[in-house]
Amino acid sequence: MHRTILTLITEPSDSDTALAGQMHRVSAGLEELQFRMRWTHRGEDAMAVVGSDASLAAVLVSWEVPGADGLLRAVAERFQRLPVFLVSSGEDPPLWVYEVVQGYLYPLEDTPDFIAGRIAHAAERYAEQLLPPFFGALRRLENHHHYSWHTPAHAGGVAFLKSPVGRAFFDFFGERLLRTDLSISVPELGSPLDHTGPIGDAERNAARVFGADRTFFVVNGNSTANRVVAHHAIARDDAVLVDRNCHKSIQHALTITGARPVYLVPERNGLGLAGPVPPAALAAGAVRERLAAHSPPAGDPPYAVITNSTYDGLCYDAVRVGELLAESVPRLHFDEAWFAYARFNPMYARRYGMALDDRTLPAGRPTVFATQSSHKLLAALSQSAMLHVRPSERAPVDYERFNETYLMHASTSPLYPMIASLDVATAMMDGPSGAFLTGEAIVEAVRFRQAMARLAERVRADPGRPDWFFGAWQPPRVTDPRTGRTTDFAEADPELLATEPACWTLEPGASWHGFDGLEDGYCLLDPIKVTITCPGADAVEGTLESGIPARIVAAYLGRRGIVVEKTGDHTLLVLFSMGITKGKWGTLIDALFDFKNAYDGGVRLDALLPGFGPPGASLREFCDAAHGTLRDSDLGGLLDRVFTDLPEPVLTPAECHAALIRGGTERVPLDELPGRVVAATVVVTPPGIPMLMPGEAAGPADGPALAYLRALESFDLAFPDLAADVHGVRRDPGGRYLVEVVRR
Ligand SMILES: *Cc1c(COP(=O)(O)O)cnc(C)c1O
């Protein structure tokens, strides 16, 4: 595992000096102890190793080599407690170096074996203390090779060996995964249900790292974490405040609890992206009005839930949200499925739930919950999630009682490698490496965004070329708050963009984002979530005269082996997660460039995307036809009406579900939908905000919901290859929509 030792010593030309000779003997000693030596002679080379090799076990540096100081700083920025030895020289290094360095080596005074032994000991201790509580305990236990008499019945994988197909499974996943798949009755590892032993230690470690009072590991996904929080906070018939842009799991929680949801509606822009719920809608007066208008009038809500950040990377000033909602609710839940890294980079200061504490919000703050899909943007296995709690005096949390709700949703046989992955995801964010890893993703995203902006400028400057047309959704100009100087995004200092939140906040009224009703600093566009814009829509104006539907571009990228996260009418979302490698995005830009050339060059659709769209048309003709239909059907304008004029709630989600399981619902086509109560959540992506929720009235034939669904259905029928992603409607064999409704 950690067996690499990096040395930055003398030039090879000096290798006949006494010092170099002695260091080679030290190195031979270390190699005998199974360490691998990586020799470098220039500061830059050594820094490249530090930046890319996480298997380092120790670093040996001589201070005289130019760049030694840079190397030591790079080590301190990335690693916690990595042993660094200074190879002694006459010179005294500056004081800060003493903080980084663990010891000195005197190659001309001590024996090579002694020096090698000292380094090896430090390296081994480092590797041992790296392991967080649960992963460490699991590894030690695995080394002991116990016989197990408990479930799972495969007993460390042995059962699989008894069958040919089982053998294939065993060989594929490997013995170690199977050996560490243990039952909760193994006492050495503690209890995931009572939060004791190494599992409890791991959760406490996570609470420290994520800034929570208590952290619970949840291995049934953040969906389950959401249901636990809501189920803890809501009793039957409680009115609760729910971000309309919420995940399905919140909807399920409302069904389980018998809640009466009162929705907080986010902004949308002309690109069809969902923005934040504006501050005015969260203020106490506005909330009171919404509750009073509800039928039956709703009482004081015990709970509110906000999605932060949004899918498209818009993140709130969470402290401001807490302040606004403090008067209305004692418990505030941030669904941070896409945002577990927020605490580890100053870019996101104040923008995550656990940033709300007695210091940032001294008076009467609500109890805060944050739930995170650790697997989505940290390095954890799928389904692994965390639930963080920070109680307040207004709504104290008795953790034993809280655990009753936790147990209602927990499995009694969680997969331990998943728990280990949560423990490791936590440790990876601890200390300097959290800022290092998140910073690296931000830097790559900034490079990509600037490359896109520069490419547009270069193409524009080339008179022989038709104008470039893809863009990245971001402020076109940024201001350095220290100097007050404003520059084009493409020309801005990359360091400024990678570190200055003010470059990314949505200034009220700015036309690049197109959202109304914002306050200064209220909302920030996360640099790592990049929306690529295709021509045809504008953040303020909405759909334009001509354009290119993003689904065609996404289909082309798919053929090139590039899978985007999400596709809208004129937008594509790509994520710069910690898994990004340098230059991975170069391929994406190249593919966009090729698409553009094919479009300008009149390439036929069937040559570019065989089997896609009507035969015979050129790419450009197909884009024109599809965009023209999108534009004429005014889907954007119709969708705006859907969210301005929310449907009337008739039944609670729980009542609706009761009808569903008792045969009290049926599926009807759109022409029978007017006047009915829907029994499904109908969501169109984008914006991904539900347009109809279970128990809501579909409204009249000329109402917003039906007008929109009819327009969308006709678009889908005309362009089946570009059909929108509509959850909650089924299609009959002719492609017509069917919606689940409550029987009359
Ligand atoms: C993905 C997601 C969830 C659910 O998380 P899982 O870990 O997939 O169960 C919850 N909320 C939001 C906003 C999500 O995007």
Side-chain angles (χ1 to χ4, degrees):
M1 204 190 32
H2 293 86
R3 306 303 290 184
T4 307
I5 296 186
L6 171 67
T7 64
L8 174 62
I9 316 237
T10 42
E11 287 295 327
S13 59
D14 301 337
S15 58
D16 54 352
T17 63
L19 176 69
Q22 194 73 341
M23 282 309 293
H24 279 290
R25 282 186 280 278
V26 170
S27 149
L30 284 165
E31 270 162 357
E32 221 161 89
L33 295 168
Q34 310 302 317
F35 286 95
R36 191 168 73 92
M37 305 300 290
R38 276 187 87 160
W39 292 90
T40 58
H41 306 289
R42 295 187 321 146
E44 294 143 49
D45 295 340
M47 275 165 69
V49 174
V50 164
S52 61
D53 189 347
S55 78
L56 292 184
V59 178
L60 317 180
V61 192
S62 65
W63 183 248
E64 299 86 83
V65 181
D69 57 337
L71 172 67
L72 293 181
R73 284 186 209 279
V75 167
E77 266 172 31
R78 167 147 200 209
F79 293 97
Q80 208 170 14
R81 295 190 280 270
L82 178 68
V84 177
F85 292 94
L86 217 53
V87 181
S88 157
S89 66
E91 230 181 290
D92 275 341
L95 288 177
W96 65 266
V97 169
Y98 291 91
E99 286 163 23
V100 180
V101 163
Q102 185 167 87
Y104 282 79
L105 303 180
Y106 301 95
L108 299 176
E109 290 163 38
D110 291 320
T111 67
D113 278 353
F114 174 80
I115 295 175
R118 237 184 111 208
I119 297 167
H121 179 66
E124 271 155 12
R125 248 197 0 220
Y126 164 74
E128 184 56 32
Q129 63 78 40
L130 264 184
L131 304 182
F134 180 74
F135 179 45
L138 189 65
R139 274 183 43 141
R140 282 190 291 278
L141 189 74
E142 201 262 348
N143 279 340
H144 296 167
H145 295 95
H146 290 305
Y147 276 120
S148 85
W149 290 95
H150 49 69
T151 60
H154 66 68
V158 178
F160 292 111
L161 299 176
K162 300 191 176 180
S163 116
V165 60
R167 176 78 212 203
F169 183 81
F170 183 98
D171 290 345
F172 183 75
F173 284 108
E175 179 168 357
R176 182 157 282 150
L177 171 72
L178 303 170
R179 279 213 173 276
T180 52
D181 177 18
L182 297 162
S183 113
I184 57 169
S185 51
V186 176
E188 291 93 324
L189 296 174
S191 161
L193 306 178
D194 300 333
H195 315 283
T196 53
I199 293 182
D201 293 341
E203 288 183 329
R204 276 184 288 282
N205 189 46
R208 174 183 65 80
V209 172
F210 287 88
D213 181 55
R214 267 291 290 268
T215 290
F216 293 80
F217 287 172
V218 180
V219 294
N220 314 42
N222 194 43
S223 303
T224 295
N226 280 348
R227 287 190 288 265
V228 171
V229 173
H231 210 177
H232 160 76
I234 308 171
R236 187 181 311 276
D237 288 330
D238 280 346
V240 293
L241 302 178
V242 180
D243 190 339
R244 187 88 181 177
N245 184 13
C246 69
H247 187 254
K248 265 198 175 98
S249 52
I250 298 288
Q251 191 60 42
H252 297 153
L254 300 175
T255 307
I256 293 171
T257 55
R260 298 182 176 279
V262 174
Y263 290 103
L264 304 167
V265 186
E267 289 282 318
R268 282 117 17 242
N269 71 5
L271 298 173
L273 302 176
V277 179
L282 299 179
V287 168
R288 257 196 314 277
E289 262 172 44
R290 294 274 292 118
L291 291 168
H294 200 73
S295 83
D300 285 342
Y303 162 92
V305 57
I306 297 279
T307 304
N308 186 42
S309 76
T310 67
Y311 207 165
D312 305 294
L314 295 170
C315 16
Y316 290 86
D317 177 342
V319 178
R320 177 72 180 131
V321 169
E323 185 180 54
L324 284 162
L325 283 173
E327 244 183 84
S328 306
V329 287
R331 293 176 198 84
L332 175 55
H333 174 187
F334 289 99
D335 180 353
E336 296 178 352
W338 293 90
F339 208 35
Y341 52 88
R343 185 176 163 82
F344 307 102
N345 198 289
M347 179 63 79
Y348 313 106
R350 289 172 66 96
R351 298 205 176 269
Y352 52 94
M354 290 300 119
L356 261 94
D357 56 26
D358 295 337
R359 196 176 44 81
T360 52
L361 196 55
R365 87 179 157 76
T367 287
V368 185
F369 299 91
T371 50
Q372 301 172 337
S373 296
S374 315
H375 62 93
K376 276 185 182 156
L377 282 159
L378 300 181
L381 297 179
S382 287
Q383 288 190 24
S384 310
M386 290 191 212
L387 187 170
H388 307 294
V389 191
R390 183 187 285 286
S392 71
E393 277 170 20
R394 280 177 62 200
V397 180
D398 176 324
Y399 288 115
E400 282 182 16
R401 293 188 182 126
F402 183 87
N403 205 45
E404 288 302 312
T405 313
Y406 176 89
L407 293 178
M408 282 176 78
H409 298 269
S411 164
T412 45
S413 38
L415 183 68
Y416 278 18
M418 285 170 58
I419 297 180
S421 83
L422 285 170
D423 196 22
V424 168
T426 301
M428 282 177 69
M429 289 292 115
D430 196 8
S433 64
F436 176 86
L437 293 169
T438 51
E440 204 170 54
I442 295 176
V443 164
E444 280 306 307
V446 164
R447 285 191 183 139
F448 172 73
R449 287 171 176 276
Q450 287 198 300
M452 286 284 285
R454 275 196 296 269
L455 183 64
E457 282 174 14
R458 280 174 52 202
V459 173
R460 213 161 284 145
D462 181 347
R465 283 181 186 277
D467 213 354
W468 175 246
F469 53 46
F470 292 109
W473 183 57
Q474 62 206 11
R477 297 169 71 72
V478 293
T479 302
D480 183 342
R482 287 161 302 186
T483 60
R485 217 168 72 85
T486 301
T487 46
D488 278 350
F489 187 92
E491 265 74 62
D493 173 7
E495 166 88 16
L496 175 76
L497 291 175
T499 53
E500 179 50 65
C503 294
W504 301 95
T505 49
L506 275 55
E507 324 86 308
S511 61
W512 69 268
H513 61 73
F515 295 116
D516 292 329
L518 300 184
E519 293 173 350
D520 262 336
Y522 181 71
C523 184
L524 172 133
L525 171 63
D526 188 343
I528 73 162
K529 298 183 179 149
V530 184
T531 295
I532 296 171
T533 55
C534 304
D538 174 271
V540 175
E541 306 288 320
T543 310
L544 304 175
E545 188 53 31
S546 67
I548 297 179
R551 284 188 194 87
I552 303 174
V553 182
Y556 173 75
L557 293 176
R559 299 278 164 105
R560 295 270 306 250
I562 300 171
V563 183
V564 300
E565 174 66 35
K566 184 183 77 153
T567 309
D569 287 344
H570 293 96
T571 58
L572 303 159
L573 178 70
V574 292
L575 299 179
F576 282 73
S577 61
M578 291 195 311
I580 192 76
T581 50
K582 286 201 176 33
K584 170 170 145 186
W585 47 263
T587 323
L588 173 57
I589 293 193
D590 185 53
L592 292 174
F593 206 85
D594 293 347
F595 180 93
K596 165 87 161 89
N597 279 344
Y599 178 90
D600 292 333
V603 169
R604 279 164 56 119
L605 190 61
D606 44 19
L608 194 72
L609 283 168
F612 191 90
S618 75
L619 173 59
R620 183 176 208 138
E621 286 159 357
F622 182 57
C623 288
D624 285 349
H627 176 84
T629 309
L630 267 180
R631 179 197 60 214
D632 296 342
S633 56
D634 189 26
L635 285 173
L638 292 172
L639 199 57
D640 251 355
R641 276 182 62 208
V642 167
F643 294 115
T644 320
D645 196 358
L646 279 192
E648 181 203 347
V650 179
L651 300 175
T652 63
E655 288 161 346
C656 227
H657 185 71
L660 187 83
I661 61 175
R662 289 284 175 260
T665 60
E666 59 186 333
R667 292 189 191 116
V668 299
L670 293 187
D671 52 13
E672 290 173 36
L673 191 56
R676 305 296 296 267
V677 173
V678 297
T681 309
V682 181
V683 187
V684 185
T685 306
I689 308 172
M691 50 181 298
L692 288 166
M693 294 279 208
E696 290 181 340
D702 59 353
L706 271 149
Y708 179 76
L709 284 174
R710 269 198 315 269
L712 196 67
E713 183 189 65
S714 5
F715 180 82
D716 281 8
L717 290 171
F719 294 95
D721 288 323
L722 301 180
D725 196 5
V726 196
H727 293 270
V729 302
R730 287 170 195 279
R731 292 178 167 93
D732 73 9
R736 299 210 160 262
Y737 289 1
L738 296 173
V739 180
E740 189 91 27
V741 297
V742 178
R743 285 183 195 278
R744 292 203 226 256

